[in-house]
Amino acid sequence: MYSSNLIGFILAVVSSAFIGSSFIIKKKGLRRAGVNGPRASVGGYGYLLEPLWWVGMVTMIVGEIANFVAYIYAPAVLVTPLGALSIIVSAVLAHFMLKEKLQKMGMLGCLLCIVGSTMIVLHAPEERSLSSVEEIWELAIQPAFLLYTASAVAVALVLILYCAPRYGQTNIMIYIGICSIIGSLTVMSVKAIGIAIKLTLEGTNQLRYFQTWIFAMVAISCIITQLNYLNMALDNFNTAIVSPIYYAMFTSFTIFASAIMFKDYSGQSASSIASELCGFITVLSGTAVLHSTREPDPPFITDLYTPISPKVSWSIQGNGEWKQKDEDGSPSNLITILQQDYFK
């Protein structure tokens, strides 16, 4: 059982490296696409024609596949918090590739994420043994989990239909909230599919059960929704802000959903549960530090009439002349556009 958790841990680390890189690559692709057409944050889909965005997409897919397999071998409460490592990867790469400065306190945040992740790994519960997709279905239709699912869908619909059109571009919690809530359902479905595939490969065909296909349809629908709103969040806000907030919310909802559906903490001692929660809080603290020490994105300029040089402006002098001014406010004596007699 420990070897199973170890395999899940290794796959989760590999997944974090790829996913963290994909945030940066996709962000660069979104920036390029935004120069030539409407940005994703206002409903544009020009990024679909941008090769760099597709490189980032492929990178994310590879990471998600590794993450998918990790859920087969280890419980969600172990795999999901390790996503904090993707924050470290994206923060470091953003520092070099996107010129989003990583401050010294940001480095401390990265260290906190590593320490917290280590605590979680050391006290993670054992993976529950499931023998068929029907057994997973029984867990999914428990009253408690059905209540969670109904609540999650209702909140997501309110955010999508009412909040996103009005506040999505100014409030980062809207887009990320949609991704996180839907993401918790994605993880539950993906874990069910992963177990079904594993059992099928071992000789017990799970594809003949309709429950397997329901889990697959739910997973596909949720993944498409997540990607759409994650693109909007990345296009509209600083990557170093999106990554930690998305991680914190997504992980919280996923752990909560997994605890309800799979009863991950059943049979664990109070000290193990407390240690894991402390580890999770440490990781959240690290993400908060990263969030608080990053600079906001510079304004994204697409106006063709914006002056090319930010160091040049124009002003009207007291004698009625228009004169060129440098950024420091000193007027230029070289160019005079209009003389006072023009206005007479």
Side-chain angles (χ1 to χ4, degrees), residues 27-256:
K27 180 68 177 260
K28 290 181 72 69
L30 288 169
R31 284 184 175 181
R32 286 188 184 181
V35 173
N36 302 316
R39 299 170 61 188
S41 60
V42 294
Y45 292 96
Y47 60 85
L48 295 175
L49 301 177
E50 175 56 51
L52 189 59
W53 184 86
W54 282 107
V55 172
M57 191 65 189
V58 171
T59 305
M60 174 172 278
I61 290 173
V62 173
E64 292 296 349
I65 290 174
N67 201 45
F68 173 80
V69 179
Y71 279 114
I72 298 176
Y73 289 96
V77 295
L78 167 62
V79 176
T80 306
L82 289 177
L85 301 179
S86 68
I87 298 174
I88 299 174
V89 173
S90 63
V92 173
L93 292 180
H95 177 78
F96 293 104
M97 297 179 65
L98 300 180
K99 307 304 179 185
E100 298 176 359
K101 283 190 175 182
L102 178 63
Q103 309 293 346
K104 291 182 178 180
M105 287 299 292
M107 297 179 186
L108 174 61
C110 292
L111 179 61
L112 288 172
C113 289
I114 294 174
V115 172
S117 297
T118 303
M119 293 176 65
I120 292 171
V121 170
L122 292 177
H123 298 91
E126 297 180 352
E127 172 70 335
R128 180 175 178 176
S129 179
L130 297 168
S131 58
S132 72
V133 73
E134 289 182 316
E135 188 176 347
I136 304 173
W137 180 260
E138 290 299 322
L139 296 174
I141 60 174
Q142 299 173 92
F145 188 72
L146 287 177
L147 177 61
Y148 173 82
T149 302
S151 301
V153 171
V155 172
L157 288 176
V158 170
L159 291 175
I160 292 171
L161 300 177
Y162 180 80
C163 298
R166 294 169 174 80
Y167 314 112
Q169 295 185 45
T170 57
N171 190 330
I172 192 173
M173 303 303 290
I174 304 298
Y175 293 149
I176 296 181
I178 296 169
C179 294
S180 302
I181 294 171
I182 297 298
S184 66
L185 300 179
T186 303
V187 171
M188 300 303 103
S189 300
V190 164
K191 187 170 180 64
I193 296 168
I195 294 173
I197 293 175
K198 179 184 177 183
L199 292 172
T200 299
L201 294 176
E202 291 175 351
T204 306
N205 185 13
Q206 301 296 308
L207 300 180
R208 58 192 176 92
Y209 296 112
F210 75 91
Q211 292 93 335
T212 302
W213 300 104
I214 291 179
F215 283 128
M217 288 187 292
V218 171
I220 292 172
S221 301
C222 291
I223 289 171
I224 291 173
T225 303
Q226 277 184 268
L227 288 176
N228 183 48
Y229 286 96
L230 182 58
N231 281 330
M232 291 184 179
L234 283 172
D235 192 42
N236 214 51
F237 302 98
N238 188 303
T239 306
I241 297 177
V242 172
S243 296
I245 296 179
Y246 177 49
Y247 165 80
M249 293 184 65
F250 171 70
T251 304
S252 299
F253 281 112
T254 300
I255 289 178
F256 185 56

Side-chain angles (χ1 to χ4, degrees), residues 19 22-24 52-53 120 138 143 148 165 206 239 261 287 309 325 327 331:
I19 292 175
S22 74
F23 274 105
I24 307 305
L52 189 59
W53 184 86
I120 292 171
E138 290 299 322
Y148 173 82
Q206 301 296 308
T239 306
M261 180 172 173
T287 60
S309 172
K325 291 183 63 179
E327 190 178 45

